[in-house]
Amino acid sequence: MKATLIYGAGDIRVEEVPDPKLENPTDAIVRITHSCICGSDLWPYKNREATQEGGRIGHEFIGVVEEVGSDIGRLQQGDVVVAPFFYADGTCEYCRAGLTTACPNGSAWGAETDGGQGEAARVPFADHSLMKLDVPVESDLMPSLLTLSDVFGTGHHAAVSARVEPGKDVVVVGDGAVGLLAVLAAKRLGAERIVLMGHHRDRTDLGREFGATDVVAERGEEGEQKVRDVLGTDGAHSVIEAVGYDQSLSTAINVAKPGGFVGIVGVPQSGTIPNAARKFGANITIAGGIAPTQANMHELLPDVMDGKIEPGKVFDRTIPLDETPEGYRAMNDREALKVLVRP
């Protein structure tokens, strides 16, 4: 079968690899029908050291179950399923608590198993990891359902971590796909005013469609003051950081009001938390991290199925698997917001 491999910074290739096979009785083999490129995939695309052997990449996919292990009881051949970006056994103390990304037996796709940007994948703990979709595989809902794998589930996790509640003011720092879907998640949770900090017009326009009431294009101290001017207060109750840079997190802390909450889901690009003095002095709570989408996709599914929300609008380009390297280039060069891949 074909799969996407990364050999180093800027070096993405689609190559023939061995077909996946059942290795454990709790495995399933899934033929992938929809996948995509994530903003977090761009970090290794920018920085990975060159290697002689490529590594699998991609962690968001929908597909059809082709084969199941002997211990699988919930799934059967032909089921249409969506996979969370981090699979987990569903039985450990962390899985039972809803923190599936802390499962000691789990992992992300491409790390210890097949990547999501390919024609098929072996899925460990399939009964727990895969969510069955009662729709045809060519349904118009597929782009939105694919966002449950990661990007919308991550935006939801950001909003929950930031304690978004009905009637509250929210600031979202970052206009990438996660930031835009954090806007949608905040709107879904009842936020009254949502300020989106971003400067790409096509993206902020989509943010307004998702529920942003205001857009602040300025950055740094100027942008922070503009947020306070827009809200007419000394900050927001809930702030979402969806970028990962020190500057964006520092801004998020600065625009949170005393006693406020910052939910972080941008992959940190340093090992420190900036602006700690402001966080400490204003009693600002920082929460968030890797989103447990395996746990929260069930909460989000009904609204997607009913058409109440359309998170799939973040996909602005669709390509065949063979063109995945071009998809990476387009996202890295800001020519595309999020690319959907059809194996």
Side-chain angles (χ1 to χ4, degrees):
M1 73 168 197
K2 290 183 178 180
T4 304
L5 293 90
I6 181 168
Y7 281 83
D11 190 357
I12 298 286
R13 309 177 198 177
V14 178
E15 298 181 336
E16 290 288 336
V17 299
D19 291 342
K21 297 180 180 180
L22 297 175
E23 297 180 8
N24 302 296
T26 54
D27 289 348
I29 304 300
V30 174
R31 173 175 56 84
I32 297 173
T33 61
H34 299 74
S35 183
C36 56
I37 302 171
C38 182
S40 63
D41 291 330
L42 296 182
W43 296 121
Y45 182 75
K46 295 174 186 289
N47 303 306
R48 180 182 170 112
E49 292 186 8
T51 56
Q52 289 187 340
E53 293 187 5
R56 297 288 187 86
I57 194 167
H59 53 259
E60 303 157 275
F61 64 90
I62 283 174
V64 178
V65 175
E66 295 281 280
E67 189 177 357
V68 296
S70 58
D71 286 354
I72 298 296
R74 188 176 61 84
L75 299 171
Q76 60 185 356
Q77 186 178 21
D79 285 345
V80 179
V81 293
V82 58
F85 73 87
F86 190 103
Y87 62 83
D89 64 22
T91 62
C92 74
E93 63 172 304
Y94 301 110
C95 287
R96 293 196 301 271
L99 191 60
T100 50
T101 47
C103 177
N105 296 315
S107 189
W109 304 106
E112 298 175 1
T113 186
D114 300 311
Q117 294 163 11
E119 293 181 321
R122 178 182 68 89
V123 179
F125 312 114
D127 259 348
H128 298 286
S129 295
L130 298 174
M131 183 172 70
K132 184 177 177 180
L133 302 173
D134 292 323
V135 292
V137 75
E138 294 299 331
S139 168
D140 290 341
L141 292 173
M142 283 299 159
S144 288
L145 292 168
L146 180 58
T147 67
L148 300 179
S149 181
D150 181 355
V151 66
F152 185 36
T154 295
H156 171 76
H157 182 59
V160 171
S161 298
R163 306 285 184 89
V164 174
E165 300 171 353
K168 298 295 185 181
D169 290 338
V170 179
V171 175
V172 177
V173 182
D175 60 4
V178 170
L180 296 178
L181 289 181
V183 169
L184 182 62
K187 178 69 174 179
R188 177 180 173 274
L189 291 173
E192 182 172 343
R193 295 196 71 178
I194 303 172
V195 180
L196 173 61
M197 300 190 73
H199 62 279
H200 300 91
R201 180 64 182 271
D202 54 338
R203 299 184 180 194
T204 57
D205 284 350
L206 181 57
R208 288 185 184 276
E209 185 176 347
F210 281 159
T213 55
D214 303 274
V215 170
V216 170
E218 295 81 359
R219 298 178 174 182
E221 293 183 4
E222 183 182 4
E224 293 161 11
Q225 185 57 52
K226 183 70 176 292
V227 168
R228 290 188 283 269
D229 292 342
V230 166
L231 293 176
T233 67
D234 54 354
H237 170 270
S238 301
V239 183
I240 292 167
E241 193 285 315
V243 181
Y245 288 135
D246 283 357
Q247 180 57 57
S248 58
L249 180 52
S250 181
T251 289
I253 293 171
N254 280 338
V255 298
K257 65 170 54 180
F261 301 86
V262 175
I264 58 172
V265 289
V267 179
Q269 298 306 299
S270 75
T272 61
I273 294 181
N275 210 3
R278 158 70 181 172
K279 176 231 178 299
F280 182 82
N283 280 284
I284 293 168
T285 298
I286 297 179
I290 304 175
T293 58
Q294 181 172 323
N296 66 29
M297 62 170 55
H298 296 276
E299 176 184 343
L300 302 174
L301 176 65
D303 285 352
V304 173
M305 293 293 292
D306 291 345
K308 294 180 180 179
I309 52 177
E310 295 183 67
K313 289 184 176 182
V314 294
F315 293 108
D316 56 352
R317 185 174 299 192
T318 300
I319 60 174
L321 179 63
D322 286 340
E323 296 180 14
T324 303
E326 170 61 16
Y328 273 82
R329 187 208 61 78
M331 283 183 60
N332 187 63
D333 293 348
R334 304 273 184 159
E335 294 177 9
L337 170 59
K338 191 167 177 67
V339 174
L340 193 151
V341 179
R342 294 298 308 269

